[in-house]
Amino acid sequence: MSLHPGTATIAVDDDPRRYEHLSTIRLEDPEAVARAAKARRRHPGLKYGRQNFIVAADHPARGALAVGNDPVAMADRRQLLDRLQIALANPAVDGILASPDIMDDLLLLGALDGKLVFGSMNRGGLAGLVNEFDDRFTGHTAAALEELGADGGKMLTRICLGDPDTVATLEATAKAIDSLAERKLIAMVEPFLSVRENGRVRNDLSTDAVIKSIGIAEGLGSTSAYTWMKLPVVDQMERVMAATTMPTVLLGGDPAGTQDEVFATWGAALALPGVQGLTVGRTLLYPADGDVAGAVAAAASLLHHTTEVSE
């Protein structure tokens, strides 16, 4: 399905019944999700030197629906599924990072064949919640991800030195890392040093803060054998990447600046040792010009592939 090039939210063929079959399946045959997961063809495998491109779609489960100036851009599930299928149809896109509800829809749509699959594990720190730093694990469990045949799980790890709820989040993150490692699944940890200002949580994106967050996050759990970092692109990325030996994917965040400016910063960071690729959502799914396929193709062109995946 194509999107109108001048809009960010309206499909050309906006049939309100186009996903009605998903509701029917969920009502009459809920076991179809498990069957689809079992039948899914797996990704051929990870290789250093071949960067991966993963599309993120776990924002709504935390109540984070805004993109740019639109506070409810991600609210329409049909539109989100349209955009995700456009992105996943590009063979350069290796996989998905999603909350259970979106993951199940994509499995039923057959959109995840040959893709990497990462589940979103902690979505309890709702955007704007008074206890936002108590980011509880309310999404995928390691056991559920193993049953789905997933490749790993992702956890948002915001560290606020002035909020006592941080310690509970750190402990829960460590336990999740261990639970994933026991199953030989990747733990994709997304750390931030964060503060609360005027009732809102703000992530500190200074270079030193990102480096400090890495030091804390990569020490969580009883093993780091299966741990990856998911990091923002900030100033002095050379220093940031010098802080870890763990495979690292770059996140996009809420798009700021022009697409060319954002892609230029990604391109420079992707050239650094240890960077394994992109895990990006809103920037590509809701580009300013509405051209999802074009934004995905442009981002894919930034990836480095110095080795071939064996068949």
Side-chain angles (χ1 to χ4, degrees):
M1 177 171 294
S2 61
L3 300 178
H4 193 283
T7 65
T9 59
I10 301 176
V12 172
D13 181 17
D14 195 18
D15 179 0
R17 295 184 177 276
R18 63 190 182 279
Y19 293 114
E20 188 175 21
H21 66 292
L22 296 181
S23 300
T24 302
I25 293 170
R26 286 175 174 278
L27 178 68
E28 298 180 352
D29 187 18
E31 293 183 2
V33 173
R35 292 199 304 274
K38 186 175 182 180
R40 183 181 68 88
R41 177 169 50 87
R42 298 289 296 271
H43 185 271
L46 298 161
K47 298 287 184 181
Y48 189 81
R50 185 173 182 85
Q51 292 180 325
N52 298 115
F53 188 175
I54 299 164
V55 175
D58 60 345
H59 312 81
R62 204 175 62 80
L65 301 174
V67 180
N69 295 323
D70 185 347
V72 291
M74 300 188 76
D76 189 319
R77 182 54 52 91
R78 294 170 300 188
Q79 282 285 334
L80 179 55
L81 291 175
D82 288 346
R83 293 165 185 269
L84 284 169
Q85 289 191 91
I86 291 169
L88 290 164
N90 187 320
V93 174
D94 291 285
I96 189 73
L97 162 61
S99 52
D101 53 324
I102 295 173
M103 185 86 74
D104 292 348
D105 279 342
L106 293 172
L107 284 168
L108 291 173
L109 290 168
L112 300 182
D113 270 2
K115 304 296 185 182
L116 293 168
V117 170
F118 289 89
S120 191
M121 300 181 75
N122 61 326
R123 298 282 84 189
L126 303 181
L129 182 70
V130 64
N131 297 107
E132 187 168 345
F133 285 115
D134 184 1
D135 201 349
R136 301 195 181 189
F137 283 66
T138 58
H140 284 111
T141 63
L145 291 170
E146 181 181 39
E147 185 69 20
L148 281 174
D151 298 278
K154 169 254 185 177
M155 55 216 74
L156 176 61
T157 308
R158 291 171 296 183
I159 303 157
C160 180
L161 301 181
D163 194 307
D165 284 332
T166 291
V167 68
T169 297
L170 293 177
E171 181 181 24
T173 298
K175 290 179 178 178
I177 290 169
D178 284 349
S179 188
L180 289 165
E182 288 171 4
R183 296 166 169 84
K184 298 181 171 56
L185 298 178
I186 296 164
M188 185 186 289
V189 184
E190 181 181 5
F192 293 99
L193 281 190
S194 306
V195 296
R196 192 185 294 276
E197 294 178 341
N198 301 318
R200 297 177 64 88
V201 171
R202 178 180 66 83
N203 297 326
D204 186 343
L205 298 181
S206 66
T207 304
D208 287 349
V210 174
I211 290 171
K212 186 171 184 176
S213 75
I214 294 169
I216 295 168
E218 62 189 357
L220 295 173
S222 61
T223 177
S224 64
Y226 294 91
T227 302
W228 288 17
M229 291 288 109
K230 181 173 183 274
L231 302 176
V233 177
V234 298
D235 291 337
Q236 302 179 58
M237 280 301 292
E238 296 86 353
R239 288 182 57 211
V240 170
M241 290 309 302
T244 185
T245 58
M246 295 178 182
T248 297
V249 290
L250 308 175
L251 63 93
D254 196 3
T258 68
Q259 188 176 95
D260 288 345
E261 290 169 342
V262 171
F263 284 7
T265 63
W266 292 356
L270 284 164
L272 296 172
V275 176
Q276 185 58 28
L278 295 170
T279 301
V280 182
R282 291 171 290 184
T283 307
L284 303 181
L285 294 174
Y286 296 86
D289 65 359
D291 184 3
V292 177
V296 170
S301 72
L302 303 174
L303 299 174
H304 298 270
H305 299 310
T306 58
T307 62
E308 294 297 325
V309 175
S310 58
E311 295 298 332

